[in-house]
Amino acid sequence: MDFDNLLGFIAASMTTAAFIPQTYHSIITKDLSGISLGMYSAFSIGVILWIIYGIRIDSSPIIVANIITLGLSATILYLKIQHMRQTKETQY
Amino acid sequence: MDFDNLLGFIAASMTTAAFIPQTYHSIITKDLSGISLGMYSAFSIGVILWIIYGIRIDSSPIIVANIITLGLSATILYLKIQHMRQTKETQY
């Protein structure tokens, strides 16, 4: 692996791993009121586009990281929607 | 701009724009208890590494998107730290 790929993997690991404490926090505390539905909806769609981009430019850091990120962001999105249904919350 | 760059820009726009509703939500509601400090700390560092990676592989979508994302994620991180100081909250 060359330096650029290594750098990309570290960057990807950080921005992907970042969603682990948020997912954990959201699961444990069930405190979803401060989480934005708009963010996790747009983010999950964007991550799917990143995966397609990564495949096309043949960048393995982008592909691998975004597949994992999608799993985490989709989990938070699911918890948020579940929370909104339970609390009848309406928000942006 | 070729198709791959366009796709990258759309992907980057989505995952960057996603942080706008979260930043707005956090500023307006001041509801930061459900936001993970660990996420926004790790995420901001990761985004800085993405900017360096983007410069090295000469990918303008990665560079531009991550500079904007850094501004938004750093704002949320600042609000979270401010919230923790005010509430004496300790968490991961």
Side-chain angles (χ1 to χ4, degrees), chain A residues 19 22-23 25-26 31-43 73 76-77 80 84 89 91-92, chain B residues 14-37 39-40 43 69 71-80:
Chain A
F19 283 85
Q22 181 64 68
T23 307
H25 186 67
S26 297
D31 184 358
L32 274 295
S33 59
I35 293 291
S36 161
L37 175 72
M39 165 167 173
Y40 285 91
S41 306
F43 196 81
S73 67
I76 297 168
L77 180 60
K80 176 65 185 180
M84 288 177 73
E89 174 195 345
Q91 68 150 41
Y92 33 86
Chain B
M14 293 291 291
T15 50
T16 295
F19 283 86
I20 297 173
Q22 181 64 68
T23 307
Y24 180 77
H25 185 67
S26 296
I27 291 171
I28 299 296
T29 65
K30 301 191 194 309
D31 184 358
L32 275 294
S33 60
I35 293 292
S36 162
L37 175 72
M39 167 168 172
Y40 285 90
F43 196 81
T69 305
L72 296 165
S73 67
T75 301
I76 298 168
L77 179 60
Y78 170 77
L79 291 169
K80 176 65 185 180

Side-chain angles (χ1 to χ4, degrees), chain A residues 20-92:
Chain A
I20 297 173
Q22 181 64 68
T23 307
Y24 181 76
H25 186 67
S26 297
I27 290 171
I28 298 296
T29 65
K30 299 190 196 310
D31 184 358
L32 274 295
S33 59
I35 293 291
S36 161
L37 175 72
M39 165 167 173
Y40 285 91
S41 306
F43 196 81
S44 298
I45 295 166
V47 166
I48 292 168
L49 297 180
W50 271 124
I51 295 167
I52 299 167
Y53 177 71
I55 292 166
R56 290 191 55 98
I57 70 164
D58 196 23
S59 168
S60 46
I62 294 177
I63 298 168
V64 175
N66 282 291
I67 287 173
I68 300 168
T69 305
L70 182 61
L72 295 165
S73 67
T75 300
I76 297 168
L77 180 60
Y78 170 78
L79 291 169
K80 176 65 185 180
I81 292 169
Q82 201 180 39
H83 175 263
M84 288 177 73
R85 281 188 177 155
Q86 283 166 357
T87 60
K88 313 284 184 200
E89 174 195 345
T90 51
Q91 68 150 41
Y92 33 86

